[in-house]
Amino acid sequence: MKNTALTDKHISLGAKMVPFAGYNMPVQYEGINAEHAIVRGGVGVFDVSHMGEFILKGENALDLIQRVTSNDASKLYDGKVQYSCLPNEDGGIVDDLLVYRIDEKTYMLVVNASNIDKDWNWIQKYNDKGVEMHNISDKTSLLAIQGPKAAEALQSLTEVDLASMEYYNFVKGTFAGIENVVISATGYTGAGGFEIYFDNEHADVIWDAIFEAGKPFNIKPIGLGARDTLRLEMGFCLYGNDIDDATSPIEAGLGWITKFSKKFTNSESLLAQKEAGVARKLIGFEMVDRGIPRHDYEIVDIDGKVTGRVTSGTQSPSLQKAIGMGYIDKALAKEGTEIYINIRNNKIKAKVVKFPFYK
C-alpha cells in the first residue's frame, strides 16, 4: 500500500487511516459530520495526493486529448480547466478527469487514483503521433482547501488574488514561499475553495504554512469520509460508484461534457444513443420514510419490481435527511416520482429529486 508525503502527519494528528485506491488515507479525524460542517461553514484541508497527474506535451498534445476525451478541449485557454471523461469503446467510461491547459502545447490531466495505470495505458494506446507523456503522480502532492473561508485563510501565503480567481481556472505562482505551485479553483465539495499542486519535497512546509495561516479561521484537516458526503450532496459522480466502464456519459447525465462537434472514442454510438434516448438514467432521490440507502441496494416500484440500483447513498449532514443516487428506468426518472428502496427486504419510500440536493 502506498503512502502520500503527508501520511505520517495524518497519523500524528490521530486520523483514522484506511486503504483507499491502493493508498493509506485518512478517512476521518474528529468525525464525518463535524468535518462536513467545518467545510460547509468554514475551511478544511483534504490531502488528495493519491490522485494521478499526467503531463502531455508537444505539437499533437491537443489532438490526442481531443481523440480520447469527450469534452471539447479546443475551447481551453492558458489557465483554464475542463471537466471531461475518457469514453471506452463499448459505451462506458474509462474514467472522469480534469484537463488543465498550461500552454498551447502543454496540458496536465488529473485522474482518479484507482485508475492511474488504466488511464495511462488507455491514452498511450492512442498516442500514435509522438506526444510526450509524463506520469508525475508519484512525485506530486495535492491538497484541496475547501470552504467559504478558504480564500481568506490562504491569502497571506500568496500574491495571487484568490478571491478574484474564477471557477475552473488556475495559475502557477509562489505559495508559502515555494515557487511553481499550481493553484486552481475546481472543487468537489460545492463549498468553494482551491487545489494546490506541488512537489512532494515541499509537503511538510506547505501543510504547516496552511495550518498556521488558517488558525484564525479555525482551519481543520478533513478526511475522505466527509469528502464523500459533501460531493454526494452536490450530486457529483464518484468513479466506481456512479460511473464506471459499463455506464455511458449520456445515461449519467454527463451530456454537457460530451461534445459531438468532434470525433472521439466511440462518439458515433454515443451520438446515436443521445438521439435515440436512453433506457435508464442516473437520478437523485431523497428518502420519504426512514432508512439509509447504500451502494447496490435495489430500487423497486410500488409492486416490488426491480427498476434500478442505488450507486451512492448517505444520511446528509447538511439536510438531515437520507439521500442517494442511482440508475433507474427512464419512465420513473421524472422529478417527484415515488420510488422505493429495498432495505433489508423492506420497501422504503423515496422520491426523485433534482441535483444538487444541497443548494
Side-chain angles (χ1 to χ4, degrees):
M1 199 162 53
K2 291 182 177 180
N3 290 323
T4 76
L6 291 161
T7 296
D8 290 343
K9 192 78 81 175
H10 304 311
I11 292 168
S12 73
L13 290 168
K16 180 184 176 186
M17 306 295 287
V18 298
F20 183 82
Y23 285 79
N24 189 20
M25 298 297 290
V27 69
Q28 63 181 55
Y29 297 84
E30 55 187 275
I32 290 172
N33 286 359
E35 292 168 33
H36 183 109
I38 286 162
V39 175
R40 280 276 177 255
V43 57
V45 182
F46 301 85
D47 177 12
V48 281
S49 305
H50 60 317
M51 299 289 282
E53 295 87 14
F54 307 153
I55 301 293
L56 272 57
K57 294 176 80 168
E59 296 283 346
N60 296 309
L62 176 61
D63 173 75
L64 175 58
I65 291 166
Q66 287 288 71
R67 287 186 288 125
V68 297
T69 66
S70 62
N71 210 335
D72 186 359
S74 72
K75 303 289 188 196
L76 290 171
Y77 46 83
D78 295 358
K80 183 67 177 168
V81 192
Q82 184 180 75
Y83 180 54
S84 194
C85 76
L86 300 169
N88 65 25
E89 290 159 353
D90 308 309
I93 299 170
V94 177
D95 202 6
D96 62 334
L97 74 161
L98 295 175
V99 180
Y100 284 65
R101 175 168 149 154
I102 296 167
D103 61 47
E104 190 182 355
K105 297 177 184 175
T106 314
Y107 296 80
M108 179 170 74
L109 310 186
V110 182
V111 303
N112 285 300
S114 55
N115 291 334
I116 292 171
D117 292 340
K118 180 174 83 160
D119 292 358
W120 176 266
N121 294 335
W122 182 264
I123 297 166
Q124 191 67 270
K125 183 173 88 166
Y126 289 92
N127 185 14
D128 51 10
K129 296 181 184 176
V131 175
E132 205 179 310
M133 288 177 60
H134 302 275
N135 183 353
I136 61 168
S137 307
D138 286 343
K139 63 181 186 182
T140 304
S141 289
L142 170 57
L143 296 178
I145 301 92
Q146 297 283 294
K149 295 181 182 173
E152 276 183 286
L154 299 179
Q155 189 58 70
S156 65
L157 299 174
T158 182
E159 290 181 357
V160 174
D161 184 0
L162 298 176
S164 68
M165 189 181 287
E166 292 183 15
Y167 195 43
Y168 269 71
N169 279 258
F170 75 97
V171 294
K172 269 191 178 185
T174 300
F175 185 88
I178 307 298
E179 294 179 2
N180 210 32
V181 173
V182 171
I183 306 166
S184 80
T186 62
Y188 190 54
T189 63
F194 304 91
E195 299 77 45
I196 313 290
Y197 298 82
F198 50 90
D199 290 341
N200 288 344
E201 62 193 272
H202 305 305
D204 283 340
V205 167
I206 287 181
W207 177 275
D208 292 343
I210 287 170
F211 279 89
E212 187 59 37
K215 254 184 201 168
F217 304 93
N218 198 30
I219 198 167
K220 299 276 188 176
I222 312 292
L224 293 181
R227 189 169 167 84
D228 193 50
T229 55
L230 287 156
R231 70 93 195 166
L232 183 46
E233 286 184 346
M234 301 311 297
F236 294 151
C237 291
L238 174 64
Y239 193 89
N241 278 44
D242 313 299
I243 50 175
D244 57 33
D245 287 300
T247 58
S248 94
I250 310 301
E251 293 173 329
L254 297 176
W256 62 280
I257 63 163
T258 311
K259 302 292 170 58
F260 298 106
S261 52
K262 55 158 198 165
K263 284 196 172 179
F264 56 86
T265 317
N266 204 40
S267 57
E268 286 172 5
S269 64
L270 287 174
L271 177 59
Q273 186 183 70
K274 183 183 179 183
E275 289 172 345
V278 290
R280 62 174 192 160
K281 286 179 73 175
L282 184 66
I283 52 108
F285 62 87
E286 60 183 40
M287 300 304 296
V288 174
D289 295 334
R290 278 181 68 113
I292 298 178
R294 300 294 186 197
H295 176 71
D296 223 25
Y297 280 9
E298 292 175 343
I299 303 174
V300 300
D301 64 16
I302 195 164
D303 299 318
K305 180 189 167 197
V306 177
T307 64
R309 286 197 176 271
V310 176
T311 55
S312 291
T314 194
Q315 176 72 16
S316 161
S318 301
L319 304 172
Q320 294 294 298
K321 62 174 74 166
I323 59 172
M325 298 165 67
Y327 286 92
I328 194 169
D329 290 350
K330 188 184 173 186
L332 295 170
K334 193 177 173 195
E335 185 184 4
T337 302
E338 278 190 1
I339 56 174
Y340 298 83
I341 312 301
N342 195 348
I343 302 178
R344 289 183 290 278
N345 291 322
N346 290 312
K347 283 191 318 181
I348 310 297
K349 190 188 288 186
K351 68 174 179 181
V352 177
V353 296
K354 267 188 179 172
F355 296 126
F357 299 99
Y358 177 83
K359 297 175 177 66

